[in-house]
Amino acid sequence: MSKNLYNEAYLDEYIELVIRKGINLQQGQVLVISCKVECAFFARKAMKAAFEAGASNVYMRWVDEICNRTRFLMADDKVFDTFPAWDKMFFDSLSNEGAAFLNIEASDPEAYKGVDSGRLSRSSIAASGALKDYFEKVITGEVRWCIASVPSETWANKVFPDAASSDDAMSLLWENIFVASRVGNGDAVEKWDTHIDTLKNRVDSLNNYRFKSIHLKNSAGTDLYMELPQKHKWLGGGDVAKDGHHFLPNIPTEEIFSAPVADGVNGTVVGTMPNVFRGNLIEDFSITFRDGKVVSFDAKVGKEHLEMMINDIPGMDRLGEIALVEHDSPISNTGILFFNTLYDENASCHLALGSAYPDCIEGGGAMPEEERADEGLNVSDNHQDFMFGSADMFIVGTTADGEEVVIFKDGNFVI
Ligand code: ZN
Ligand code: ZN
């Protein structure tokens, strides 16, 4: 890279935010950083910031999607049903030792276009199975982790196809990442403290209503009823890990989320943003549920990928997440489609097929899978978000006494 495509001071502020508020790295802790080779400069700075924040050691996991793609095209077919034992050991041993995990995302939405989707799906099933213990620690807050994004050229060009050059597209994407992450005045950490308070207050008021069900409706065609588990909890504004330290699994984050009863969803949801599943685009889609289960679906683009998403892995034919995101938020206000779930899901109300976060019910983090299922949560080895929010989203909650409370009007919270 010949010149900096970002404001140096903003970048330092962003990295500080990721290490201090995202991971909330503690004195003497080990950090694992996963990063694409294209963004090495970012990982190098993040490593330095981590040591300055007190890390005892930092391990790198370099990712190269071009090599990965070559492997998917050329490796022996049987390798896609296995996951390397040494790689499993890496995640298991470091998570057992209390390491934190920073994932720097610089996704190319079409990295695996043209790769045999069977290979992609078998390899993801093998990884989900092998890393089950690690993922369990991730979703139960036993490890602190954070995902943050860095532009890649392919991603930037996808988001800004009309930019004069790739460099211009990269600069634009950097600017918008900073805006969406409330970075730019040197006070991102303080701004996030305020933002987290706002989210936490809304979480508290939603939890106080103890809604039995909610009804979501908009002019795009969504008309969906969902029951909430008796012990449901709304969550948002980050997480508190089992060690008592707050962290932000995603930067940025705007969502307040819970989980529906796995067999208590009825009606249709219409997607309002394209979805990327294993590098493949799914657009203009709708999904219909009866008693929680997907009974029909359609998509103008990528219907075969939507079918794979729903049918490939057990539990992906039911919902595991309902997330409320205001239409008026820094990300949404950029008006940009990021083609990146981390950003797009924080610009729009979304649902997820697949696993529910255990903490969405009281005591869920300590419950074995079967018990969580008994309490109404969906269980799966996968979790795929998709967006359905709009400027006219209307959501009403019904309490146990039958009282109706408007939660969302014209795309924003009214409670
Ligand atoms: Zn979410
Ligand atoms: Zn999700």
Side-chain angles (χ1 to χ4, degrees):
M1 208 180 287
S2 51
K3 64 183 170 87
N4 283 353
L5 301 172
Y6 47 81
N7 176 312
E8 193 81 39
Y10 292 8
L11 188 78
D12 290 342
E13 190 182 344
Y14 182 50
I15 290 175
E16 191 74 6
L17 176 71
V18 166
I19 298 290
R20 307 262 177 189
K21 299 297 298 179
I23 291 291
N24 192 2
L25 196 82
Q26 298 297 304
Q27 205 67 33
Q29 192 172 16
V30 170
L31 180 66
V32 177
I33 302 178
S34 297
C35 182
K36 266 174 66 165
V37 289
E38 288 88 341
C39 313
F41 73 98
F42 188 92
R44 289 174 189 141
K45 275 175 174 281
M47 178 186 269
K48 192 159 172 272
F51 280 122
E52 281 163 2
S56 64
N57 203 354
V58 181
Y59 292 106
M60 286 306 309
R61 281 183 67 88
W62 295 110
V63 178
D64 184 349
E65 275 180 337
I66 297 172
C67 282
N68 288 348
R69 182 188 161 80
T70 304
R71 199 178 71 86
F72 274 116
L73 290 171
M74 302 183 73
D76 194 312
D77 190 62
K78 65 175 181 294
V79 307
F80 300 105
D81 291 314
T82 61
F83 187 83
W86 55 266
D87 214 359
K88 174 180 164 50
M89 209 181 287
F90 177 91
F91 283 99
D92 287 345
S93 71
L94 283 163
S95 57
N96 283 338
E97 287 165 29
F101 291 78
L102 171 60
N103 195 353
I104 297 162
E105 268 232 348
S107 67
D108 171 1
E110 299 189 351
Y112 298 117
K113 207 173 173 181
V115 167
D116 172 38
S117 51
R119 287 188 167 195
L120 288 171
S121 115
R122 282 158 53 207
S123 141
S124 122
I125 292 167
S128 308
L131 299 180
K132 208 175 165 63
D133 293 345
Y134 166 71
F135 287 131
E136 184 72 14
K137 289 199 180 77
V138 165
I139 61 172
T140 56
E142 209 161 304
V143 301
R144 272 178 283 116
W145 53 284
C146 177
I147 306 176
S149 285
V150 168
S152 67
E153 219 169 270
T154 39
W155 178 25
N157 285 327
K158 174 108 192 156
V159 180
F160 298 104
D162 300 327
S165 67
S166 290
D167 280 3
D168 283 358
M170 289 282 280
S171 296
L172 278 169
L173 189 50
W174 269 118
E175 279 171 29
N176 282 284
I177 283 178
F178 293 143
V179 168
S181 308
R182 297 173 167 83
V183 162
N185 281 318
D187 59 356
V189 168
E190 292 79 12
K191 279 205 179 105
W192 273 85
D193 284 337
T194 310
H195 175 49
I196 290 165
D197 280 348
T198 308
L199 291 175
K200 292 279 180 213
N201 288 336
R202 287 207 177 108
V203 163
D204 288 346
S205 80
L206 281 171
N207 283 332
N208 288 337
Y209 278 114
R210 304 303 320 144
F211 290 118
K212 202 170 160 14
S213 65
I214 57 175
H215 179 203
L216 311 102
K217 203 169 154 63
N218 69 3
S219 62
T222 290
D223 191 355
L224 195 67
Y225 287 89
M226 68 179 57
E227 291 168 33
L228 298 175
Q230 212 184 353
K231 294 184 186 165
H232 76 269
K233 278 199 311 191
W234 291 93
L235 302 166
D239 234 334
V240 175
K242 284 196 174 150
D243 64 7
H245 294 295
H246 183 269
F247 69 107
L248 292 168
N250 294 340
I251 289 183
T253 183
E254 304 289 334
E255 65 174 332
I256 290 175
F257 64 100
S258 190
V261 173
D263 58 7
V265 179
N266 284 285
T268 296
V269 59
V270 176
T272 49
M273 285 189 198
N275 200 261
V276 180
F277 180 63
R278 294 181 191 147
N280 295 292
L281 271 183
I282 302 167
E283 285 182 271
D284 293 323
F285 59 97
S286 64
I287 306 175
T288 299
F289 298 86
R290 193 175 305 135
D291 296 331
K293 199 172 151 59
V294 175
V295 285
S296 64
F297 56 88
D298 201 8
K300 288 213 177 92
V301 176
K303 189 176 175 186
E304 69 277 20
H305 301 297
L306 181 59
E307 180 170 8
M308 210 179 313
M309 186 204 291
I310 292 167
N311 292 329
D312 252 21
I313 296 180
M316 287 293 285
D317 56 354
R318 291 176 190 272
L319 292 179
E321 179 186 356
I322 160 72
L324 309 181
V325 180
E326 291 205 293
H327 194 69
D328 180 15
S329 77
I331 307 174
S332 178
N333 292 341
T334 64
I336 293 166
L337 179 63
F338 284 91
F339 295 99
N340 175 326
T341 305
L342 183 57
Y343 278 75
D344 294 330
E345 78 165 8
N346 278 301
S348 172
C349 287
H350 58 270
L351 296 166
L353 291 168
S355 61
Y357 288 98
D359 285 339
C360 288
I361 53 170
E362 208 62 57
M367 284 178 194
E369 217 169 69
E370 314 79 66
E371 209 175 315
R372 298 202 299 259
D374 287 345
E375 295 289 345
L377 294 190
N378 193 34
V379 171
S380 175
D381 285 343
N382 211 343
H383 175 104
Q384 175 77 18
D385 296 284
F386 62 92
M387 278 53 88
F388 73 102
S390 67
D392 67 346
M393 181 57 70
F394 184 73
I395 306 174
V396 179
T398 304
T399 65
D401 308 336
E403 188 200 344
E404 292 196 340
V405 179
V406 177
I407 300 171
F408 246 59
K409 205 176 163 223
D410 297 329
N412 292 315
F413 274 105
V414 287
I415 59 167

